[in-house]
Amino acid sequence: MSETLPTARSKRQALGPYGRVGKVVDELDDRLGIAKGGRVFLDKIFPDHWSFMLGEIALYSFVVLIATGVFLALYFVPSTNQIIYHGSYKPLRGQPVSEAYASTVNISFGVRGGLLIRQMHHWSADIFVGSIVVHMARIFFTGAFRKPRELNWTIGTTMLILAVLEGFIGYSLPDDLISGTGLRIGYSIAESIPFVGSYLVSFLWGGTFPGNVIIGRFYLIHVFIIPLVIFGLLGAHLTLLVTQKHTQFKGEGRTEKNVVGSPMFPTFMAKTTGFMFMVAGMTALLGAFAQINPIWQFGSYDPSKISYAVQPDWYMGWLDGALRIMPSWEFAGWGHTVPLEVFLPAVIFPGLIFNICFAWPALERRWTGDNELHNLLDRPRDRPKRTAAGAAMLALLFTLFAASSTDVLANYFHISLNVVLWAFRVLTIVVPIIAGFVTYGICLEMQGVQGIGKRKRAVIVHRSAQGEYSTVTAAPRPGDGHEELEPEPVPVRIDIASLAGTEEGNGQSSPTGARQVTR
Amino acid sequence: MSDEHEPSRTKVPMPLATLSDPHLGDSATHPSRVEAIIALILLVGTVLMAGFGAAYWQNWNPVILGGTMGAGLFLLGFGLTAWGKYLMPQGPFVEERHPVASSPEARGAMAAALVERSAVVVKRRKMLGGIFALGSGIFGIVAIFPLLRSLGPVPGTSLEHTDWRKGTLLVDSNGRSVSRGTLVPGGIMTVFPEGKENTSYGQAIDQTVLVRVPGGNLTTAPGRETWAPAGYVAYSKVCTHLGCPVGLYEQQLELLVCPCHQSMFNVRNGAVPQFGPAPRPLPQLPLYFDTDGNLRAQAGYDQAVGPGFFERSTTKENGT
Ligand code: HEM
Ligand code: FES
């Protein structure tokens, strides 16, 4: 090194080998003791598998939801007071509308960037619930919920329920014709609960439907209570993830006692932050190009009007389908009415589904008698029964989802509604059973096939001088499977001197070329 | 940092993209080329972000706003991810998993503290604990009242009634009454009790669908001989399934159809459900023409309108 200004040099020396950053770490560590845990955190290893991104999509759409939601809350008026519309959307001028509705139209047309943010909020809500469901499926099919992670599974299921509720409540806020109809249906479902139903709705709605308090109450729940609870649960979810560490698939160098992958800092941090931007960017593109919930076309809620195409958000579809195919079995007797045609499909059924979710880790522990700690994931085919059960459940939910469009299907294919209805009643029972058995069979088949699911390797055919043929399989390439690469320990200290030599890479291998395996 | 605490880790430098990193083989051969591509992606993202600023400033339409912002965010994210994937160490690295569980001694100490201390303070002072549990239990129950009960009134019989009474005038949504010629045979309209047509309760609960079926006076069921003068027949518009307005009329088949789950009600036979999940007929409103020739209700509905609920009585009483 050449001579530098003495002052600068002495300053640098006074700061120690890590300069200003080192100084900040020192000062912080004096007060908070962050250095030890901080280093462990920066070294935290993230297994590389695409399916581990699903939870991140949920996480980052939650971030997008909060950001866009705060924007909307600045302009939304949670009130059902009737006013005459005078805003910038001409076709509605002079019509009586509720303040909630008028303010939502105003966000769409009067606030700069408002329509984009509204549509982003709605899209990210759909993506949020969707990614939670897919994330949950990956946890389920790989057995990541097993001991010690049952609590995180429970937290996750709770968040899913809250996310669905939050979505329904948010959908209700604009007080347009479609959301008002949805609220009416929600009211009637709550009303159907024996003993307490009519009290429950009377308290919640502050009297009989529609009343004038529900939008204000739902607003509070939507912008404050549920997000806060989800936020808390999310914190617990991620804290548990860090303390219990990630699961990983089986493979070379991967054991129950280690985690193999890339480190939190800088690799994972760069990838995941980039991924957050990508999720936000995709949401913005959807918000820009794909119209969603154009409430100005539906009109303000008038309980005596209805539009033909009443469609809830997708994650409500399975309940709508269950309501449609349920026979009309109302119980009436002893001076009481129990609307089983509502209570069973819309209260008992979802209750059952979510309780199965909550109970599954315990059920499986009981059935298999397996109370061991598990950090290595199952491949779905290695647990044919669990995989079949999951497939049957997904098939059931998907069939019910499809059943929510009986009328559309009947119109489209010109068949009678009755045929479609009965078809779905049969399918709802048959499809899950078939899906379960077929999945079970496929799992068993796959278990017998060597190397299935791995990228095919080239086979080199040799012909010897004697004319004899022999084949050799080409060497595996990185990424061919998880088995091929041997892991090395996370470096403890960055050796700045040795980095200087490899700065440009330029074909030189680093001094660490030799891999070390700690097992 | 000393190594004593992490015996599993050895001193090795964290390399940049190197040939030795099996995942980075290709990109480590030409890191400057990879860097240039990533720089280009990030640059385009940055330009788009500036474009978003300009679009916002100029108040361009939402497609341009969202297009610039979305593509900008996406490219910035994409560049950063690529940077992480192609120019940062991929390993694989390994980290030991330290068991979460504590030592057996620590477990024993925890259990001991719980058992032994509570033996002293709780078991020997059962009464104090009992009284405290009772007090807080009572608080828990009492607290439900302000939390839940104050939210709204007890339903009472509110779900059983509507605003329809003996002699109530039928009006449309603009307050106009209905006379013999208002509907042609086959016509349909929504009516409300006079004065309630603009209230949310009137629109939600009292709403009634009025159909004129061809063929003069109509008897929909025994005992309802006088209810539908001149073919004017009125049913509650609140679906008995989940309360959607039964808003569609299939004129040829004389069916009222609920758009929510396709329940169908036959207007000629007392709106008995023909199809769909609705469990009960729509309640029928008995009508008559007053001396001015306007339609009025002979009485209110003889039963609760809309979806079922637990207190809904199963016996019909006349006139509310
Ligand atoms: C609010 C929505 C949710 C968010 C934002 C979220 C976020 C995340 C993230 C970022 C991870 C780490 C990456 C990964 O393994 O994919 C994770 C792990 C996990 N999540 Fe979720 N999640 C949510 C809902 C759920 C649900 C519904 C379940 C299951 C019922 C669940 C169960 C788990 C479990 C057991 C882990 C640990 C898995 C492992 O270590 O391999 N989560 N979550
Ligand atoms: S609400 Fe009318 S059929 Fe469901």
Side-chain angles (χ1 to χ4, degrees):
Chain A
M1 280 252 177
S2 61
E3 277 294 300
T4 42
L5 279 174
T7 45
R9 181 182 192 153
S10 56
K11 263 190 205 158
R12 218 180 297 145
Q13 268 170 353
L15 282 170
Y18 297 110
R20 264 181 224 293
V21 177
K23 180 84 178 132
V24 172
V25 170
D26 285 348
E27 294 296 334
L28 280 177
D29 195 54
D30 281 345
R31 293 166 175 82
L32 306 169
I34 49 133
K36 186 152 187 297
R39 175 63 200 245
V40 171
F41 181 70
L42 295 180
D43 282 353
K44 181 176 161 47
I45 289 296
F46 287 81
D48 294 309
H49 193 268
W50 62 267
S51 69
F52 287 56
M53 248 167 35
L54 301 167
E56 288 173 49
I57 302 183
L59 181 65
Y60 298 137
S61 34
F62 186 63
V63 173
V64 175
L65 279 168
I66 300 282
T68 52
V70 168
F71 180 96
L72 297 178
L74 296 173
Y75 305 100
F76 179 74
V77 184
S79 150
T80 45
N81 281 345
Q82 296 290 311
I83 56 168
I84 300 295
Y85 183 78
H86 291 300
S88 51
Y89 183 63
K90 289 205 183 74
L92 277 175
R93 282 200 194 144
Q95 288 190 32
V97 296
S98 73
E99 278 187 304
Y101 181 77
S103 64
T104 314
V105 176
N106 178 47
I107 290 172
S108 308
F109 297 116
V111 177
R112 198 177 280 204
L115 181 61
L116 173 67
I117 301 288
R118 242 199 82 222
Q119 303 204 129
M120 278 178 72
H121 191 71
H122 203 126
W123 272 118
S124 50
D126 284 347
I127 297 172
F128 183 52
V129 183
S131 54
I132 296 178
V133 171
V134 185
H135 170 58
M136 188 168 174
R138 105 106 169 112
I139 303 292
F140 180 84
F141 286 112
T142 60
F145 58 81
R146 289 172 302 169
K147 191 177 174 181
R149 294 182 179 73
E150 301 99 327
L151 183 59
N152 236 4
W153 169 266
T154 310
I155 294 176
T157 308
T158 313
M159 283 195 282
L160 172 62
I161 297 172
L162 287 173
V164 169
L165 264 183
E166 175 79 350
F168 175 77
I169 290 176
Y171 193 82
S172 304
L173 289 178
D175 200 34
D176 60 280
L177 194 54
I178 290 189
S179 76
T181 308
L183 261 188
R184 170 75 231 207
I185 292 178
Y187 176 96
S188 308
I189 291 173
E191 196 186 12
S192 78
I193 303 172
F195 300 103
V196 297
S198 39
Y199 289 84
L200 193 68
V201 292
S202 190
F203 294 163
L204 264 181
W205 265 261
T208 42
F209 189 84
N212 51 17
V213 300
I214 194 65
I215 297 284
R217 287 179 181 175
F218 269 16
Y219 182 65
L220 177 75
I221 296 175
H222 184 78
V223 304
F224 181 65
I225 297 177
I226 295 187
L228 193 72
V229 177
I230 293 187
F231 190 79
L233 290 174
L234 200 56
H237 198 71
L238 298 181
T239 309
L240 275 176
L241 180 76
V242 172
T243 42
Q244 298 178 332
K245 297 205 169 77
H246 265 80
T247 52
Q248 61 189 351
F249 282 99
K250 294 188 188 81
E252 178 86 10
R254 293 157 199 250
T255 69
E256 289 282 3
K257 293 206 165 62
N258 68 11
V259 197
V260 173
S262 50
M264 176 76 186
F265 184 78
T267 313
F268 181 75
M269 213 177 250
K271 284 196 212 167
T272 196
T273 311
F275 193 57
M276 175 167 82
F277 275 64
M278 283 157 76
V279 169
M282 278 311 292
T283 316
L285 290 175
L286 280 170
F289 293 107
Q291 187 182 67
I292 189 164
N293 204 18
I295 48 125
W296 55 91
Q297 293 173 6
F298 309 150
S300 187
Y301 182 46
D302 174 339
S304 64
K305 295 209 178 97
I306 188 146
S307 109
Y308 175 61
V310 197
Q311 287 292 334
D313 264 358
W314 71 267
Y315 44 84
M316 288 291 171
W318 60 294
L319 288 179
D320 196 49
L323 280 165
R324 279 180 195 223
I325 62 167
M326 182 72 194
S328 50
W329 292 337
E330 187 175 72
F331 170 84
W334 297 297
H336 288 290
T337 303
V338 182
L340 294 174
E341 81 286 358
V342 176
F343 183 59
L344 292 185
V347 181
I348 295 294
F349 174 66
L352 200 69
I353 296 284
F354 285 124
N355 273 305
I356 292 177
C357 291
F358 279 125
W360 185 270
L363 290 177
E364 202 183 288
R365 243 187 355 241
R366 174 171 311 177
W367 289 329
T368 59
D370 175 1
N371 199 30
E372 295 300 306
L373 296 168
H374 293 282
N375 296 316
L376 287 178
L377 294 171
D378 290 327
R379 290 182 310 183
R381 82 193 81 134
D382 294 333
R383 294 278 177 275
K385 285 186 189 146
R386 178 205 293 148
T387 305
M393 174 71 97
L394 289 180
L396 172 68
L397 296 179
F398 186 78
T399 313
L400 288 175
F401 175 77
S404 73
S405 48
T406 43
D407 52 334
V408 181
L409 292 175
N411 278 345
Y412 188 79
F413 292 110
H414 298 286
I415 25 180
S416 102
L417 204 50
N418 199 30
V419 172
V420 180
L421 179 77
W422 274 99
F424 271 110
R425 283 181 180 162
V426 175
L427 287 176
T428 302
I429 295 167
V430 172
V431 171
I433 296 177
I434 294 182
F437 279 109
V438 169
T439 309
Y440 189 77
I442 292 178
C443 288
L444 293 187
E445 287 289 317
M446 283 174 81
Q447 281 178 0
V449 184
Q450 275 295 318
I452 192 166
K454 286 187 200 143
R455 202 194 290 169
K456 294 221 169 30
R457 290 204 221 145
V459 176
I460 302 163
V461 184
H462 289 288
R463 183 170 180 269
S464 68
Q466 287 75 30
E468 221 179 316
Y469 287 93
S470 62
T471 56
V472 187
T473 310
R477 289 180 297 151
D480 272 359
H482 300 290
E483 290 80 11
E484 327 296 353
L485 298 171
E486 298 208 332
E488 65 180 321
V490 190
V492 165
R493 195 170 63 79
I494 296 185
D495 187 342
I496 296 169
S498 84
L499 283 185
T502 54
E503 190 108 66
E504 273 312 308
N506 292 341
Q508 294 172 14
S509 71
S510 82
T512 53
R515 323 205 77 74
Q516 276 154 301
V517 187
T518 36
R519 248 174 294 158
Chain B
M1 185 181 281
S2 86
D3 286 352
E4 288 137 34
H5 304 291
E6 285 108 21
S8 64
R9 291 175 190 163
T10 46
K11 274 195 189 195
V12 252
M14 175 81 82
L16 284 181
T18 60
L19 282 176
S20 68
D21 195 323
H23 280 291
L24 291 178
D26 294 345
S27 54
T29 324
H30 307 286
S32 41
R33 197 180 296 169
V34 177
E35 192 179 329
I37 296 172
I38 293 175
L40 187 70
I41 295 172
L42 291 176
L43 205 65
V44 177
T46 308
V47 170
L48 280 164
M49 274 306 159
F52 170 56
Y56 182 82
W57 186 36
Q58 293 292 319
N59 198 10
W60 283 331
N61 70 40
V63 173
I64 299 181
L65 279 179
T68 46
M69 175 167 95
L73 281 174
F74 189 86
L75 287 181
L76 286 179
F78 193 76
L80 187 55
T81 309
W83 181 6
K85 191 167 163 59
Y86 296 111
L87 291 176
M88 289 185 190
Q90 302 293 306
F93 298 103
V94 67
E95 183 189 15
E96 295 306 306
R97 214 185 265 282
H98 305 289
V100 182
S102 326
S103 66
E105 297 79 51
R107 288 188 187 185
M110 164 109 187
L114 282 174
V115 173
E116 286 161 11
R117 291 180 199 172
S118 66
V120 180
V121 296
V122 182
K123 284 206 185 123
R124 288 209 211 130
R125 304 272 184 275
K126 278 219 173 82
M127 191 183 69
L128 297 185
I131 297 177
F132 180 76
L134 184 71
S136 36
I138 289 179
F139 171 72
I141 294 168
V142 174
I144 295 175
F145 284 85
L147 277 180
L148 208 66
R149 172 63 190 86
S150 310
L151 286 174
V154 163
T157 57
S158 63
L159 292 170
E160 304 272 351
H161 301 298
T162 66
D163 288 322
W164 293 103
R165 300 279 181 280
K166 183 173 191 305
T168 307
L169 186 70
L170 279 65
V171 297
D172 67 8
S173 57
N174 296 315
R176 285 184 301 246
S177 59
V178 185
S179 58
R180 205 170 279 266
T182 304
L183 287 180
V184 293
I188 178 173
M189 67 191 289
T190 304
V191 293
F192 306 91
E194 184 184 21
K196 307 291 180 186
E197 66 275 13
N198 280 321
T199 63
S200 63
Y201 185 85
Q203 289 168 347
I205 308 298
D206 299 333
Q207 53 173 319
T208 294
V209 56
L210 184 67
V211 184
R212 186 172 186 189
V213 293
N217 292 358
L218 171 72
T219 303
T220 55
R224 298 185 179 180
E225 287 77 8
T226 63
W227 286 20
Y232 277 95
V233 57
Y235 294 106
S236 164
K237 199 180 171 181
V238 189
C239 185
T240 53
H241 181 224
L242 286 166
C244 285
V246 184
L248 304 174
Y249 185 52
E250 177 53 67
Q251 202 180 343
Q252 255 94 54
L253 303 172
E254 298 186 322
L255 288 176
L256 285 165
V257 181
C258 178
C260 283
H261 313 99
Q262 288 77 47
S263 286
M264 298 178 187
F265 307 90
N266 189 328
V267 294
R268 276 197 188 265
N269 71 356
V272 170
Q274 304 266 287
F275 179 82
R280 263 174 288 113
L282 301 167
Q284 186 180 351
L285 189 70
L287 305 177
Y288 70 99
F289 283 103
D290 67 12
T291 45
D292 297 335
N294 292 324
L295 269 182
R296 286 179 188 270
Q298 290 182 29
Y301 285 108
D302 62 1
Q303 53 183 295
V305 300
F309 51 95
F310 188 65
E311 292 81 8
R312 186 181 194 283
S313 62
T314 45
T315 52
K316 294 177 184 177
E317 344 110 27
N318 235 341
T320 41

